[in-house]
Amino acid sequence: MAQKGLGGTLFVISAPSGAGKSTLCRELLRKVSDVKLSVSYTTRKPRKGEINNVHYTFISQKKFKDMIGNGEFAEWAMVHGNLYGTSIKRLKKLCREGYDVLLDIDVQGARQIRNTFKDAVYIFILPPSMEILRKRLMKRKTDSKEAITLRLEKARDEISGYKEYDYVIINNKLDKAYRDFESIIRSTRLKTKNYKK
Ligand code: ADP
Ligand code: 5GP
């Protein structure tokens, strides 16, 4: 008998932009086996260093709208003026292969997923304060001043949705936040319903 090695749980991770979601997910993917990130489609332009089909699949508005029309998204949303969506095909493939899947999506997307994936685990990452959030966005140097202002304006709205989630992690010290994050994944794997002979 063994603990279930391969997961198959959907983890929905949301946070205001700059809270450290990508940093925490990257670390988890590096350290924990059998976890994959679902690569979203977006109409946003790639940032420096972002690779097509690794960080996102970057597509035109026209292509995105065609995909909406064809019912190809499990969820999609307009975030900070750009469209983002999760492909049903990609999600199904990862689940079929038995992976635990990380969905890095916004609050609107998480609400849509909640209607269809009842067993998903919802995690919200909070910055220690708005001031620290602003500093992190500036430090990241990937967004223009205007984009940062837009992201900070949206942050208060997003943060107000945290109660809809199962878990909250405050990303103050990165190592502590990471340990909390990994604990959620590991304890979910230990659940009786995920136990396999
Ligand atoms: P998100 O994916 O939520 O938009 P990122 O993971 O890109 O955010 O993090 C935003 C910036 O803050 C990055 O420069 C990252 O290195 C930094 N960062 C993340 N977590 C912490 C932390 N706990 N302490 C200090 N800086 C952090
Ligand atoms: P960024 O442009 O900083 O990579 O992401 C901006 C926001 O879009 C983040 O809150 C991120 O979680 C969200 N996002 C990324 N991919 C998706 C997706 O497929 N669907 C939804 N709804 N939001 C997404």
Side-chain angles (χ1 to χ4, degrees):
M1 288 190 286
Q3 205 67 46
K4 189 178 177 186
L6 294 176
T9 302
L10 200 57
F11 292 92
V12 176
I13 331 284
S14 302
S17 183
K21 195 165 17 111
S22 312
T23 306
L24 289 166
C25 288
R26 226 177 7 249
E27 193 69 357
L28 189 87
L29 291 165
R30 210 168 59 79
K31 291 194 171 152
V32 179
S33 59
D34 300 323
V35 185
K36 296 267 183 187
L37 183 73
S38 164
V39 178
S40 296
Y41 286 81
T42 185
T43 60
R44 169 164 79 60
K45 296 277 163 286
R47 293 181 184 133
K48 203 168 159 245
E50 280 184 334
I51 302 163
N52 194 36
N53 295 326
V54 173
H55 298 94
Y56 284 104
T57 299
F58 297 97
I59 57 173
S60 65
Q61 289 238 7
K62 156 111 185 47
K63 172 92 180 24
F64 198 101
K65 286 186 177 155
D66 286 348
M67 288 179 74
I68 296 175
N70 295 334
E72 292 184 51
F73 290 123
E75 63 73 37
W76 65 270
M78 170 78 83
V79 190
H80 313 130
N82 298 299
L83 292 162
Y84 295 82
T86 303
S87 149
I88 294 176
K89 203 164 140 193
R90 286 184 179 174
L91 211 52
K92 280 196 173 155
K93 181 169 185 288
L94 292 171
C95 290
R96 214 176 29 243
E97 290 167 350
Y99 290 106
D100 280 337
V101 181
L102 302 183
L103 274 191
D104 169 346
I105 61 177
D106 85 320
V107 174
Q108 308 168 71
R111 286 185 185 133
Q112 296 169 48
I113 290 288
R114 212 169 272 125
N115 295 328
T116 36
F117 296 85
K118 304 286 179 210
D119 284 342
V121 175
Y122 294 83
I123 305 171
F124 199 90
I125 298 162
L126 280 173
S129 68
M130 290 300 288
E131 184 48 25
I132 290 178
L133 186 64
R134 190 183 65 79
K135 283 192 177 142
R136 286 191 188 158
L137 283 169
M138 308 268 284
K139 188 185 91 178
R140 192 168 69 182
K141 293 194 172 111
T142 52
D143 300 282
S144 65
K145 257 196 168 152
E146 295 71 35
I148 290 179
T149 306
L150 197 65
R151 279 162 193 262
L152 285 169
E153 278 168 10
K154 181 96 193 307
R156 283 180 206 282
D157 243 23
E158 286 167 327
I159 288 172
S160 68
Y162 82 90
K163 285 195 178 150
E164 297 168 25
Y165 289 70
D166 300 313
Y167 298 94
V168 175
I169 298 172
I170 298 171
N171 183 15
N172 187 10
K173 292 272 178 261
L174 187 58
D175 57 345
K176 159 80 167 62
Y178 176 75
R179 277 201 309 278
D180 289 346
F181 188 32
E182 191 180 313
S183 303
I184 296 167
I185 311 299
R186 294 214 181 273
S187 61
T188 301
R189 286 184 174 181
L190 295 171
K191 281 193 166 183
T192 312
K193 73 179 175 69
N194 291 335
Y195 172 79
K196 128 181 138 184
K197 283 191 189 169

